[in-house]
């Protein structure tokens, strides 16, 4: 596919992500991938490859292939159709795929002995393969499909977040498109994400619930924030296509609208805040920023030892009363163990010499049947991280959920007693926790349940990173928290006995 793109369009500017996308297109064209989703930011070249180049490539390899292509409007789909025809008629294409030819005339309607060719459908002369394009919501009656391509099923945020359009697109996918495929058909959905309930979101939710088809996902955010995708060669913080859409420009987009940036550019749409959020004073535009690791400062790491959907380790650095979360490690099963989490930390922060403090739920000190007698999550963490000469910092007991929520909300709102909290934009799970975790009627955290479709295990969808951070923040701001509990007066310290208070 990449060779084809470069040959028929010699001036095409190939970045590494185009090469990777073309590898997936090869596998899709060969039938190795039957269900494929591609998520990329706008203006990063996905439509050129997926909707203009890929149909021509498939028909060159197999002139009998039956392809349908849909986009948010019939006009846009027709433009893809016309572009594809121009490529097929080009001298370069005909040198490569000599058997794939179009009718020399514009044949609007089907007639005996004529091969259709118009802006909605064209057929390959002598073979019967075709490309038919339509708008999402349009008819595909009588059209079987070997390959179905959907490119951006919504045109803007108004449609994307409208329950009416969401349901329309979902019904069209199931009632129209899906009725045109057969056992060997392949479906490709490419889009920029807009909302959690867009077409991709509904398909992903069905897959997560174990009732939908399994999809292969190629997800390429505008700025890399973690190392979850081994095919992505970037370092954290680097732009996807720096020469075309540099990081400085992308950060300007983020400054204007974090929701737009997270959805369209990072492919990480979030539910609309509808009220009742536990951390209701948290504002992404104020409290989530680009942050950097300082090797001259100690690291503060705090655990939440739940293992599903992941084990949580949040990583902080502190200057005065400014606490900055620089990273998070959220390992899903089967790596959701204390040992694996510590080893991932060592991989990322190899050679750190400026001190390490460990925080977490005091309940982690109790004997656990998972470990041999005398061992618990904290003894394992201390052992695994002994090269950092760690110090354990635990509260005598877990602080009241309602009170620690109020305390942290007050810091977010007004910087209580000069305290300040910043969450790195790379800490996706943490930002989502603070933005969307709901508050219970008793003032605590309302933790929505979900079930793993494979194992049947129930788990709490949100709350893990913020729980880990609560233990850290109530310790590192212990004096302020005590005064908060006592209406601004000094109170009894809540830190545990025989625990290092070394502040470096």
């Amino acid at each position: 596919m990449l060779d084809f793109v470069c040959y028929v369009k010699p001036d095409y500017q190939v970045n590494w992500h185009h090469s990777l996308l073309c590898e997936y297109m090869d596998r899709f064209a060969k039938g190795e991938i039957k269900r494929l989703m591609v998520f990329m930011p706008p203006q990063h070249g996905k439509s050129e490859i997926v909707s203009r180049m890929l149909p021509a490539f498939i028909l060159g390899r197999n002139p009998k292939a039956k392809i349908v292509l849909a986009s948010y409007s019939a006009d846009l789909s027709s433009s893809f159709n016309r572009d594809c025809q121009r490529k097929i008629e080009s001298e370069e294409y005909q040198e490569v795929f000599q058997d794939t030819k179009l009718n020399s005339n514009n044949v609007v309607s089907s007639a005996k002995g004529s091969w259709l060719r118009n802006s909605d459908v064209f057929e390959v002369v002598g073979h019967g393969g075709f490309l038919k394009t339509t708008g999402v919501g349009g008819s595909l009656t009588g059209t079987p499909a070997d390959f179905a391509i959907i490119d951006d099923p919504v045109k803007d945020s108004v449609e994307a977040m409208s329950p009416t359009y969401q349901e329309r697109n979902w019904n069209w996918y199931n009632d129209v498109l899906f009725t045109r495929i057969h056992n060997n058909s392949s479906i490709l959905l490419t889009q920029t994400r807009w909302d959690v309930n867009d077409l991709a979101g509904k398909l992903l939710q069905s897959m997560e619930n174990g009732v939908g088809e399994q999809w292969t996902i190629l997800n390429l955010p505008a700025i890399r924030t973690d190392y979850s995708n081994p095919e992505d060669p970037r370092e954290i913080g680097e732009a996807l296509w720096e020469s075309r859409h540099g990081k400085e420009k992308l950060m300007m987009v983020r400054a204007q609208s974090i929701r737009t940036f997270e959805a369209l550019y990072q492919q990480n749409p979030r539910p609309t805040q509808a009220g009742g959020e536990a951390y209701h004073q948290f504002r992404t535009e104020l409290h989530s920023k680009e942050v950097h690791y300082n090797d001259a400062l100690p690291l503060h790491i705090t655990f939440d030892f739940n293992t599903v959907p992941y084990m949580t380790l949040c990583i902080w650095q502190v200057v005065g009363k400014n606490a900055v979360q620089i990273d998070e490690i959220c390992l899903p099963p089967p790596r959701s163990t204390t040992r694996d989490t510590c080893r991932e930390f060592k991989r990322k922060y190899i050679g750190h010499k400026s001190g390490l403090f460990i925080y977490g739920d005091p309940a982690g000190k109790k004997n656990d049947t998972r470990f041999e007698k005398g061992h618990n999550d904290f003894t394992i963490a201390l052992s695994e991280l002994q090269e950092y000469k760690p110090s354990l910092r635990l509260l005598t007991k877990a602080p009241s959920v309602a009170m620690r929520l109020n305390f942290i909300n007050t810091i977010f709102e007004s910087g209580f007693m000069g305290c300040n909290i910043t969450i790195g934009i790379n800490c996706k799970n943490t930002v989502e926790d603070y933005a969307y975790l709901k508050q219970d009627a008793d003032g605590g955290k309302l933790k929505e349940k979900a079930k793993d479709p494979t194992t049947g295990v129930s788990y709490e969808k949100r709350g893990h990173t913020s729980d880990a951070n609560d233990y850290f923040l109530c310790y590192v701001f212990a004096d302020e928290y005590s005064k908060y509990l006592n209406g601004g007066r000094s109170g009894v310290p809540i830190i545990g006995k025989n625990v290092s208070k070394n502040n470096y």
Side-chain angles (χ1 to χ4, degrees), residues 11 68 73 76 90 99 115 147 179 192 214 318 346 351 355 357 370 384 410 413 456 502:
D11 60 345
V68 297
S73 75
L76 180 59
S90 70
D99 289 340
W115 299 95
F147 297 90
T179 61
T192 51
Q214 296 300 302
V318 181
K346 289 192 290 186
F357 296 112
R370 293 177 298 160
E384 285 288 336
T410 304
E413 180 183 28
N502 185 352

Side-chain angles (χ1 to χ4, degrees), residues 338-349:
T338 305
R339 282 191 173 87
D340 281 330
T341 303
C342 289
R343 289 168 185 174
E344 180 65 12
F345 170 82
K346 289 192 290 186
R347 184 190 69 79
K348 298 182 77 172
Y349 294 92

Side-chain angles (χ1 to χ4, degrees), residues 67-81 119-121 131-141 143 149-152 172 176-177:
I67 308 171
V68 297
L69 189 156
S71 189
Y72 62 78
S73 75
D75 288 343
L76 180 59
S77 297
S78 292
S79 73
F80 291 149
N81 190 305
S119 61
D120 296 323
V121 59
L131 171 65
K132 180 172 183 176
T133 54
T134 187
V136 170
S139 173
L140 290 172
T141 303
T143 306
I149 301 170
I150 307 169
D151 185 347
D152 277 336
W172 176 84
V176 178
L177 180 73

Side-chain angles (χ1 to χ4, degrees), residues 293-299 317 349-356 388:
Y293 160 57
N294 185 341
D295 62 5
L297 294 175
L299 291 170
Q317 293 193 298
Y349 294 92
I350 187 170
H352 181 78
K353 302 295 185 183
S354 301
L356 178 69
Y388 297 89

Side-chain angles (χ1 to χ4, degrees), residues 4 7-9 85-98 100-101:
F4 171 75
Y7 192 69
V8 300
K9 193 175 176 64
Q85 291 183 41
R86 293 187 190 101
K87 286 177 174 54
I88 290 176
E89 289 195 310
S90 70
E91 182 178 338
E92 294 81 3
Y93 185 96
Q94 289 300 316
E95 288 177 356
V96 178
F97 298 123
Q98 299 176 9
T100 303
K101 298 185 182 299

Side-chain angles (χ1 to χ4, degrees), residues 11 13 116 224 237 295 299 307 329 336 357 366 391 395 436:
D11 60 345
Q13 299 178 28
L116 275 174
R224 188 170 194 181
D295 62 5
L299 291 170
T307 59
I329 297 173
S336 57
F357 296 112
K366 296 179 181 178
S391 296
L395 305 171
Y436 303 112

